[in-house]
Amino acid sequence: MADHKTPDYDLDETLLFDRSDQFRALFEKTRSQIIDLLNERAATIKDLADTLEKPKGTIGHHVSVLADAGLIHVVRTKKVRAIEAKYYGRTARTFLLTPLTNIDVDLSPSHFLTTAAAEFAEATEDGTKLEKDGPMSTLRYARIPQSRAAEWVQRLIELSDEFIREERGGDTTYGLVLGFYPTERPHLPDGGSI
């Protein structure tokens, strides 16, 4: 049985973005896909090109941009015939985004939620995908003490970390969207009538 350690190379837990080139490198569709794929295992440019169905030259360019930004690097090499294949991996499991001025990248939560909403809508268009392991969503509201909010945020972070470390297998890539935010929704006053 294959070892499903995720990913199959050592990497730092976090990388704090402190340069604008890191933001520009990550927030481009093909490069984001490469970063996501490398969370599963190390890969060559050919592996990535085949998976993304793009030319090796195009993927090579994107890999170069990501490497120059310090987001990926060569994690091992392997002699394949007369050529030494380079396997790329992420430099960190989680990228921590910090606010930087003068960047032209949309970091608003709506950017991430819009992407997730489009993927969710596509997954639910075909009724056959709505099986027991298919898409599910819910939106709940609860008026809780502010002192508990930090605990909920931590639990959601832990859940997302558990999800990304899940053993790889199967033929479907699933998405997980988490959000926690204050609202202006009205609520009943404490107490109540008898």
Side-chain angles (χ1 to χ4, degrees):
M1 183 168 164
D3 177 12
H4 292 285
K5 178 183 171 201
T6 305
D8 62 348
Y9 56 90
D10 292 330
L11 72 166
D12 292 338
E13 277 303 311
T14 58
L15 172 68
L16 180 65
F17 277 29
D18 58 1
R19 304 182 340 232
S20 60
D21 66 322
Q22 293 170 318
F23 287 91
R24 283 190 293 278
L26 182 61
F27 289 97
E28 188 281 331
K29 184 178 179 181
T30 300
R31 293 192 287 263
S32 291
Q33 290 174 325
I34 290 169
I35 288 290
D36 287 342
L37 289 171
L38 295 179
N39 212 19
E40 292 186 31
R41 67 173 178 83
T44 64
I45 289 175
K46 181 182 181 330
D47 293 335
L48 296 167
D50 290 350
T51 300
L52 296 174
E53 299 178 342
K54 295 192 182 227
K56 285 192 330 186
T58 299
I59 296 302
H61 164 74
H62 289 300
V63 164
S64 178
V65 170
L66 290 165
D68 289 346
L71 305 183
I72 68 173
H73 63 129
V74 175
V75 295
R76 65 178 168 268
T77 59
K78 180 180 178 184
K79 193 85 162 185
V80 179
R81 294 181 216 125
I83 299 172
E84 191 165 75
K86 295 178 182 176
Y87 286 79
Y88 291 88
R90 296 166 62 120
T91 54
R93 185 177 309 279
T94 302
F95 298 134
L96 300 175
L97 309 180
T98 58
L100 288 179
T101 56
N102 302 326
I103 58 168
D104 55 352
V105 174
D106 182 8
L107 296 177
S108 67
S110 62
H111 167 77
F112 300 104
L113 292 173
T114 300
T115 300
E119 290 176 346
F120 188 86
E122 184 178 323
T124 57
E125 280 178 1
D126 179 4
T128 61
K129 293 182 180 180
L130 295 173
E131 298 173 6
K132 64 179 178 175
D133 63 345
M136 71 76 56
S137 67
T138 185
L139 178 60
R140 307 290 180 152
Y141 298 97
R143 185 169 56 105
I144 62 172
Q146 190 172 5
S147 60
R148 293 275 292 144
E151 293 175 38
W152 277 100
V153 168
Q154 185 58 41
R155 287 175 65 188
L156 292 174
I157 289 170
E158 290 167 1
L159 180 63
S160 67
D161 191 49
E162 177 185 343
F163 178 74
I164 200 67
R165 292 174 190 263
E166 186 72 21
E167 182 177 298
R168 297 304 195 244
D171 296 325
T172 304
T173 300
Y174 291 90
L176 175 69
V177 179
L178 301 172
F180 186 85
Y181 54 94
T183 73
E184 296 296 322
R185 294 177 70 84
H187 58 270
L188 295 171
D190 289 337
S193 58
I194 300 179

